[in-house]
Amino acid sequence: MMRKNNFKLLLWRYCLLLIGLFFNACGVAVVTKAALGTSPLAAIPYSLSLVIDRLSLGEWTIIFSIGLIICQLLLELPVIKWSEILIETILSFVFGDLIDWAMSWLQQLVLRDYWQSLLLLVVGCLIISWGAYFEVIADTAMLPGDAFVRAVSRRFAVEYGKLRVVSDIAMSLIGAAICLVFLHNLSGVREGTLFSALLVGNLIKLTLNKARPLTSWLLGKTN
């Protein structure tokens, strides 16, 4: 009976993870559609999708995620957990496909004024924060972007939170450099990138704090 309950709990946590991936993908698509720059984690794939538009944002996200997984392997090869790598690879494809699905649903949306873009940006940040909330409470696997930062943190004994800020800044700068070199503008990384970097983290903290009753209910469903 105990083993059966543990399996039910694990299965339910992976369901919560998939819900989180869905929200995260929709949030990235909404922020991108606002056309004020995408989120830091998507800055490089989005900039690449602007330069080489034969591949979609979702497809570039998959390629970028695989690259991060390879970097993670190089950092932690002696102690790597291959089951985690397999799950991260599967999540990369699911996440990329979900982003393209969400982007296709937003194709017909037309924004005529700057305030509409700002409003859509805020909505996208809210959606991303809820996606992160579900991923955190699921406490199972991580997307390659998060797992790579964790690997660097372990390898060089640097606090994860501090390293995550550095990672977001680095990805934003690399995305900006790609746009400047190839497009001679900052279409991929703009004020919206900075705004989402500052807002999403605080929204995640607020959601985790205010949604404790919901968290207890969701994690208690298998009891």
Side-chain angles (χ1 to χ4, degrees), residues 129-159:
S129 68
W130 274 98
Y133 163 76
F134 279 104
E135 288 181 27
V136 169
I137 68 170
D139 193 24
T140 50
M142 302 178 82
L143 284 169
D146 299 318
F148 169 72
V149 176
R150 183 184 62 182
V152 176
S153 174
R154 289 172 177 172
R155 179 68 174 79
F156 299 102
V158 180
E159 184 183 338

Side-chain angles (χ1 to χ4, degrees), residues 28-45:
V28 168
V30 170
V31 169
T32 303
K33 184 64 180 180
L36 297 177
T38 191
S39 63
L41 188 58
I44 295 176

Side-chain angles (χ1 to χ4, degrees), residues 119-192:
L119 179 61
L120 197 65
L121 176 65
V122 172
V123 170
C125 289
L126 283 168
I127 297 173
I128 289 174
S129 68
W130 274 98
Y133 163 76
F134 279 104
E135 288 181 27
V136 169
I137 68 170
D139 193 24
T140 50
M142 302 178 82
L143 284 169
D146 299 318
F148 169 72
V149 176
R150 183 184 62 182
V152 176
S153 174
R154 289 172 177 172
R155 179 68 174 79
F156 299 102
V158 180
E159 184 183 338
Y160 178 88
K162 293 180 180 178
L163 200 59
R164 180 58 190 264
V165 174
V166 174
S167 173
D168 285 348
I169 293 173
M171 289 185 182
S172 298
L173 290 176
I174 293 172
I178 291 171
C179 287
L180 283 175
V181 170
F182 294 101
L183 302 176
H184 309 294
N185 60 47
L186 288 173
S187 300
V189 180
R190 289 179 51 188
E191 64 271 27

